[in-house]
Amino acid sequence: METNELHRGRLIDHIQLIVRDLPASRRFYQAVFDTIGIPIAGEGDNYFWADELFISSADSEAAAGRLTGRHHLAFQSRDRATVDAFHEAALAAGGKDNGAPGERPYHPGYYAAFVLDPDGNNIEVVYHGEAMYSADSVKVTF
């Protein structure tokens, strides 16, 4: 089945990762978010968050003392250079290479890189090729 139009931002409200070493994760994700242009939106003693990703330590109230386990998270990029910059910055911030920047066989133009975060989560930044976006973000007002 051919897809001519994709809608993003309707399935996931938020994701929470519970990590072993919050300062190490903060350094790693700060480097990642800096390269893809997403600011850290807030933080406290045992958590921080950006956009719809919440990262907290096992001693946070929401964690109930348990780590979340391994996940794969893919962040969107607007170009190949950002994918390359992500890979370099994530490795410099303590990540482990899990796939150098390059084209992948998922569909024509799929260019991505993969890095394991300090807890072993597989973090990907992907550029899907030339595309038109209807908006830079979805604005929700309460």
Side-chain angles (χ1 to χ4, degrees), residues 78 132-138:
R78 296 282 180 152
M132 295 271 307
Y133 286 79
S134 63
D136 286 336
S137 66
V138 175

Side-chain angles (χ1 to χ4, degrees), residues 37-112:
I38 301 294
I40 298 288
E43 62 187 306
D45 291 340
N46 54 18
Y47 69 91
F48 65 92
W49 61 277
D51 197 72
E52 300 302 338
L53 177 61
F54 293 79
I55 300 175
S56 35
S57 60
D59 65 347
S60 69
E61 184 177 344
R66 297 172 62 178
L67 301 177
T68 49
R70 187 177 187 276
H71 293 285
H72 174 101
L73 301 177
F75 302 128
Q76 296 180 37
S77 172
R78 296 282 180 152
D79 54 44
R80 287 178 172 221
T82 301
V83 173
D84 297 342
F86 148 74
H87 190 258
E88 183 178 323
L91 294 178
K96 181 180 177 190
D97 179 45
N98 200 33
E103 290 208 20
R104 303 296 193 262
Y106 310 131
H107 66 70
Y110 194 111
Y111 186 85

Side-chain angles (χ1 to χ4, degrees), residues 138-142:
V138 175
K139 182 179 180 180
V140 179
T141 304
F142 293 93

